[in-house]
């Protein structure tokens, strides 16, 4: 569930959002976007959690692959629907991952 | 709830974690760490959500302020306890936020 990303540098897109109460195929579309992103060149993985705030971080090889995903036609339509219906507010941050380190318990 | 960060560039620390079932003051310490981080120089805000995976993103002015927070004594003790008890696995990613954009619905 923690994305097995390669050694830095690579890119992260942090998408933080507040939902409206409108459902209208939100979950179905969100799931479809995850599946679609996975088919894109340069996709490295993603992590997601939602309580009152939703945070989805997707990881990418470079800015070019982020741009290709941003303008993928079905994703453009979903983004439009997001502004019209699903999201009260969101923020997208494009980040260069310079360093990472982790921990895993071995039993 | 979406952190009101300044214009890029600034830094993001993405902390993704899987919890154990051990509680032992976890929530109390997590809350204390949020309060403590807010007193640190260079702290810009944070966002957090947990389902099966937990994601906390904190925002900082520069690498120096991230380093000062990493080695803040009470935080070092909490990090040790995290590895010993609270977390089954985690990953920390230090990122330069190069660009951001957002959306807010106006009623």
């Amino acid at each position: 569930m923690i994305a097995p990303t390669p050694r830095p540098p690579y890119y992260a897109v942090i998408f933080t959002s507040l939902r409206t109460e409108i459902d209208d195929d939100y979950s179905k579309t969100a799931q479809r976007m995850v599946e679609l992103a996975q088919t894109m060149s340069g996709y490295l993985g993603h992590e997601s959690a939602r309580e009152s705030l939703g945070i989805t971080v997707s990881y990418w090889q470079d800015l070019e692959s982020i741009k290709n995903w941003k303008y993928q036609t079905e994703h453009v339509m979903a983004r439009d629907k997001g502004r019209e219906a699903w999201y009260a507010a969101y923020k997208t941050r494009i980040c260069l991952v310079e360093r990472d380190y982790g921990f895993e318990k071995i039993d």
Side-chain angles (χ1 to χ4, degrees), chain A residues 22-25 29 76-87:
Chain A
I22 302 168
D23 195 272
D24 194 11
D25 277 345
T29 308
V76 170
M77 291 189 287
R79 292 198 288 115
D80 286 347
K81 183 73 182 275
R83 282 187 298 271
E84 284 160 25
W86 296 318
Y87 297 118

XYZ file of all heavy atoms in Angstrom, chain A residues 22-25 29 76-87:
142
model
N -22.272 15.705 -3.212
C -22.761 15.113 -4.465
C -21.955 13.858 -4.802
O -20.733 13.919 -4.914
C -22.636 16.134 -5.621
C -23.423 17.401 -5.289
C -23.088 15.526 -6.944
C -23.134 18.582 -6.212
N -22.628 12.717 -4.957
C -21.900 11.500 -5.301
C -21.818 11.337 -6.817
O -20.782 11.523 -7.408
C -22.510 10.256 -4.643
C -21.505 9.119 -4.729
O -21.493 8.390 -5.739
O -20.664 9.014 -3.809
N -22.932 11.023 -7.459
C -23.011 10.990 -8.918
C -21.780 10.348 -9.577
O -21.029 11.006 -10.317
C -23.209 12.434 -9.429
C -23.641 12.460 -10.896
O -23.985 11.399 -11.438
O -23.608 13.547 -11.502
N -21.575 9.075 -9.303
C -20.484 8.296 -9.920
C -19.079 8.698 -9.460
O -18.099 8.349 -10.119
C -20.529 8.396 -11.457
C -21.522 7.397 -12.048
O -21.941 6.467 -11.325
O -21.846 7.549 -13.234
N -15.701 6.777 -10.813
C -14.757 7.561 -11.620
C -13.378 7.591 -10.964
O -12.353 7.465 -11.652
C -15.279 8.997 -11.835
O -16.606 8.933 -12.343
C -14.395 9.765 -12.811
N -9.257 14.671 -18.345
C -9.719 16.058 -18.496
C -11.219 16.143 -18.210
O -11.685 17.038 -17.480
C -9.414 16.611 -19.907
C -10.101 17.960 -20.131
C -7.908 16.744 -20.122
N -11.987 15.172 -18.727
C -13.433 15.155 -18.489
C -13.733 14.951 -17.004
O -14.615 15.600 -16.447
C -14.093 14.074 -19.350
C -14.059 14.427 -20.838
S -15.058 13.324 -21.889
C -14.033 11.845 -21.878
N -12.984 14.056 -16.354
C -13.181 13.811 -14.916
C -12.818 15.064 -14.106
O -13.503 15.409 -13.135
C -12.339 12.622 -14.462
N -11.752 15.770 -14.501
C -11.363 16.997 -13.790
C -12.463 18.055 -13.898
O -12.767 18.750 -12.926
C -10.037 17.516 -14.330
C -8.846 16.592 -13.981
C -7.499 17.289 -14.113
N -7.104 17.533 -15.489
C -6.953 18.733 -16.045
N -7.173 19.822 -15.340
N -6.561 18.839 -17.308
N -13.071 18.171 -15.091
C -14.178 19.120 -15.269
C -15.344 18.766 -14.337
O -15.901 19.638 -13.669
C -14.662 19.102 -16.721
C -13.682 19.796 -17.658
O -12.779 20.493 -17.153
O -13.813 19.641 -18.880
N -15.673 17.484 -14.301
C -16.765 17.007 -13.442
C -16.423 17.259 -11.972
O -17.308 17.601 -11.177
C -16.986 15.515 -13.695
C -18.147 14.884 -12.935
C -19.501 15.300 -13.480
C -20.656 14.705 -12.673
N -21.012 13.354 -13.106
N -15.160 17.133 -11.632
C -14.708 17.401 -10.265
C -15.008 18.828 -9.836
O -15.519 19.071 -8.743
N -14.704 19.774 -10.717
C -14.972 21.191 -10.391
C -16.471 21.490 -10.365
O -16.951 22.267 -9.562
C -14.264 22.111 -11.393
C -12.769 22.270 -11.125
C -12.148 23.313 -12.039
N -12.260 22.919 -13.438
C -11.352 22.185 -14.100
N -10.253 21.774 -13.479
N -11.538 21.864 -15.364
N -17.213 20.848 -11.279
C -18.660 21.095 -11.362
C -19.425 20.492 -10.185
O -20.390 21.081 -9.706
C -19.220 20.475 -12.652
C -18.913 21.264 -13.902
C -19.047 20.394 -15.150
O -19.794 19.402 -15.110
O -18.381 20.703 -16.155
N -19.003 19.295 -9.761
C -19.867 18.530 -8.853
C -19.178 18.021 -7.579
O -19.679 18.230 -6.477
C -20.460 17.332 -9.604
N -18.053 17.346 -7.698
C -17.555 16.526 -6.583
C -16.763 17.281 -5.533
O -16.739 16.888 -4.378
C -16.680 15.388 -7.128
C -17.420 14.412 -7.988
C -18.668 13.908 -7.759
C -16.963 13.823 -9.210
N -19.010 13.039 -8.756
C -17.986 12.973 -9.659
C -15.783 13.937 -9.964
C -17.867 12.232 -10.835
C -15.662 13.204 -11.125
C -16.698 12.361 -11.554
N -16.074 18.342 -5.951
C -15.160 19.013 -5.028
C -15.630 20.409 -4.645
O -15.993 21.214 -5.508
C -13.752 19.110 -5.637
C -13.130 17.754 -5.881
C -12.795 17.347 -7.170
C -12.901 16.882 -4.823
C -12.233 16.089 -7.400
C -12.351 15.633 -5.046
C -12.020 15.240 -6.333
O -11.477 13.995 -6.556
